Amino acid sequence: MEGGGVGAIGAVMVVGLPLADELAAVFARANELLLTEETVSRALELITAAAQAAIPGAVGAGVTLVDAAGRKRTAAASDPLVEAADNSQYILEEGPCLQAWATGKPVLVEDVRTDNRWPEWLEDAGKLGLGSAVSAPLLAGDSVLGAVKVYAREAGTFNASTVELMELFAAQASIFIINVQARESAQTLSEMLQDALAGREMIAAARGVLMARYGIDEASAMQQLLTESRRDRKPLREISAELLSSTRIAGI
């Protein structure tokens, strides 16, 4: 494949087209990559480069995939800063990207200095020089494969309009990733997506048990599962299975 494929996205994005046309141009280019030997890595590079170019003020973008055991990885990142911010979330088990994945809803952080939802991660984000962030879930029917996210250095860079753009972009990216899965001969991404789809039902069921048992919302239930996973050093899928098993035994 010729070089400069991802770099060429910038040229696509700066011509002032409406976002829908920009996305159409980007994903038409992406479809060409589906026939190459570098499909998975190049496809995800393209997605992150397109996200950064499409969202004004973004200093970096990335794609996080989560498998059935709750293991997270940054499958692509347009800047090392993205990887650092993501890794902090994975270690701390908190942050906007994980929240988007857990709830299936977009998450906006307008100012890391005044937000109080994830104290430890927000502190790390500030140390990294980040000011705001937006994460949008990668939806596949009722399942969430992960999230696409963008970061900015200045507070107030992103707002509700950014969230709408990211939702549109994430919807297109999800379709594209599923197409990659269908066409790619290598099994790495395919197995990860299959695991995510298979394990999602178990995690969702466990979350529902906690919501019913304690009268809490989706986000709080998911955070409780994540906290138990970190405390017990067990995969999220195992924690969910144990909860469901104990619930059946107790008849709750």
Side-chain angles (χ1 to χ4, degrees):
M1 185 179 66
E2 74 277 8
V6 173
I9 295 174
V12 174
M13 289 297 180
V14 298
V15 295
L17 295 174
L19 182 62
D21 290 342
E22 293 175 349
L23 290 177
V26 167
F27 284 97
R29 175 73 181 99
N31 283 332
E32 298 176 16
L33 297 179
L34 292 176
L35 302 178
T36 75
E37 296 179 355
E38 301 175 284
T39 300
V40 171
S41 60
R42 293 290 289 147
L44 295 179
E45 284 179 18
L46 188 66
I47 288 171
T48 55
Q52 180 175 345
I55 305 300
V59 70
V63 174
T64 290
L65 295 180
V66 185
D67 69 13
R71 292 184 294 262
K72 307 100 182 161
R73 73 179 180 100
T74 300
S78 65
D79 189 279
L81 184 63
V82 174
E83 295 187 44
D86 285 355
N87 286 336
S88 173
Q89 293 191 61
Y90 306 156
I91 293 170
L92 296 172
E93 293 283 7
E94 66 173 31
C97 181
L98 298 188
Q99 187 82 356
W101 165 72
T103 63
K105 298 176 183 178
V107 177
L108 167 65
V109 179
E110 293 186 88
D111 189 339
V112 302
R113 297 168 301 181
T114 58
D115 203 305
N116 58 9
R117 286 173 287 182
W118 317 281
E120 291 184 272
W121 181 79
L122 290 165
E123 182 179 354
D124 280 359
K127 292 177 180 177
L128 289 170
L130 296 177
S132 50
V134 174
S135 295
L138 294 167
L139 302 174
D142 294 331
S143 298
V144 187
L145 306 176
V148 177
K149 83 298 300 272
V150 288
Y151 296 111
R153 290 196 177 279
E154 298 298 325
T157 299
F158 303 141
N159 52 32
S161 295
T162 313
V163 173
E164 293 179 4
L165 296 182
M166 282 297 287
E167 286 186 285
L168 177 59
F169 184 86
Q172 295 296 317
S174 296
I175 294 171
F176 180 57
I177 289 176
I178 292 171
N179 285 339
V180 168
Q181 178 195 19
R183 300 191 194 187
E184 174 64 305
S185 59
Q187 292 303 305
T188 303
L189 181 60
S190 178
E191 291 171 359
M192 194 165 195
L193 294 180
Q194 289 172 9
D195 275 350
L197 291 172
R200 186 69 189 179
E201 291 184 6
M202 181 180 296
I203 295 170
R207 188 176 64 213
V209 168
L210 292 177
M211 291 171 64
R213 181 180 294 174
Y214 300 113
I216 56 180
D217 59 19
E218 288 184 11
S220 298
M222 192 64 205
Q223 188 60 52
Q224 184 169 329
L225 288 174
L226 290 169
T227 298
E228 291 182 17
S229 174
R230 178 174 56 180
R231 182 195 63 205
D232 297 344
R233 298 183 181 275
K234 294 181 179 179
L236 187 59
R237 185 172 184 173
E238 184 176 341
I239 289 292
S240 298
E242 290 176 353
L243 173 62
L244 294 175
S245 178
S246 65
T247 298
R248 285 193 292 270
I249 293 173
I252 300 175

